[in-house]
Amino acid sequence: MELALFDFDHTVTTCDTYGRFLRRVATPEQLARAWWKVGPWLLAYRLRIISAARIRARVTRLTFSERHADDIATLAAGFAREVLPEVMRPEMLEQIRWHKEQQHTVVIVSGSLDLYLRPWCEQLGLQLICNRLESQDGRLTGRYAGGDCAPRKVEHIRRQFDLSRYLRIHAYGDSYEDRPMLALAHERWYRGRPLK
């Protein structure tokens, strides 16, 4: 048995799908206030003053707090259908297909949301570890259910899979958040290049 772990944004895709999804679902009022509420945080992130996890938590709270869960789920289904096929890296889809043909267990491990990743993964027969939005009484809280999984990818992988059962582990990633996941693997690919 072999296991193949794929980060999603910038690894399987050509862009950050979470940012695109946020822009798609944000209300006009949220978009109008975005520069003042998010702009300084984005600058701090680009200057490496704050982490990706902190900026992700802030924009998630600002975009989803008090929104109707069903409305966001409907928008996410459209996003998965209309946007995701346009941003896939053909070579990574081919790599995923190769692993599937070899009967490997293939898992997307992402800081993005299950609302649009799950339909895409189900279509390809992939397993999924990712963030879920917390809701109460049909409304989103703006927080992740169980916290942000992106900085804790390895913890989630180990919880879901007994790694000792796999003869070989393959991992694909593109960021520092992926490095612990890559360290689990026998075959590691970082930004499209093999690591030794």
Side-chain angles (χ1 to χ4, degrees):
M1 289 189 2
E2 298 193 23
L3 178 67
L5 306 166
F6 286 83
D7 169 58
F8 191 69
D9 288 336
H10 293 286
T11 299
V12 176
T13 69
T14 59
C15 65
D16 171 31
T17 61
Y18 192 45
R20 286 190 179 205
F21 182 63
L22 290 170
R23 287 189 294 278
R24 185 175 175 122
V25 302
T27 65
E29 295 80 16
Q30 289 172 330
L31 289 171
R33 294 191 311 256
W35 173 248
W36 305 109
K37 293 202 168 202
V38 179
W41 284 68
L42 284 173
L43 179 61
Y45 169 68
R46 288 192 178 122
L47 294 172
R48 299 177 187 247
I49 296 169
I50 64 170
S51 68
R54 284 190 66 199
I55 188 76
R56 203 166 34 242
R58 181 165 180 83
V59 297
T60 297
R61 187 173 65 254
L62 291 171
T63 305
F64 296 113
S65 185
E66 294 300 314
R67 303 282 299 275
H68 287 282
D70 288 345
D71 293 345
I72 299 300
T74 299
L75 292 169
F79 184 83
R81 191 174 51 253
E82 299 158 18
V83 177
L84 291 187
E86 301 297 318
V87 298
M88 293 296 146
R89 292 183 189 272
E91 70 277 14
M92 294 310 292
L93 289 179
E94 188 55 41
Q95 194 65 31
I96 288 170
R97 284 189 195 99
W98 180 84
H99 282 292
K100 291 290 292 174
E101 286 168 5
Q102 306 308 307
Q103 312 253 330
H104 299 166
T105 301
V106 182
V107 188
I108 298 295
V109 186
S110 176
S112 290
L113 292 178
D114 67 331
L115 291 172
Y116 61 85
L117 286 178
R118 188 162 308 285
W120 184 82
C121 285
E122 286 173 354
Q123 185 179 10
L124 295 178
L126 311 178
Q127 296 193 42
L128 177 63
I129 294 171
C130 68
N131 281 321
R132 295 175 298 113
L133 293 175
E134 180 184 78
S135 65
Q136 293 177 349
D137 301 321
R139 286 191 180 265
L140 299 171
T141 66
R143 294 186 299 268
Y144 293 122
D148 185 357
C149 80
R152 300 178 358 256
K153 288 182 176 183
V154 168
E155 175 187 330
H156 286 270
I157 292 164
R158 288 187 186 280
R159 189 180 307 143
Q160 193 163 326
F161 299 97
D162 177 0
L163 299 183
S164 67
R165 296 180 59 221
Y166 295 93
L167 294 174
R168 204 141 193 82
I169 300 172
H170 310 259
Y172 303 80
D174 78 293
S175 73
Y176 71 92
E177 285 185 338
D178 297 323
R179 289 185 180 271
M181 179 178 79
L182 295 173
L184 293 175
H186 304 96
E187 305 274 342
R188 300 181 287 275
W189 293 77
Y190 184 74
R191 298 183 178 174
R193 296 184 178 193
L195 292 177
K196 299 199 177 185

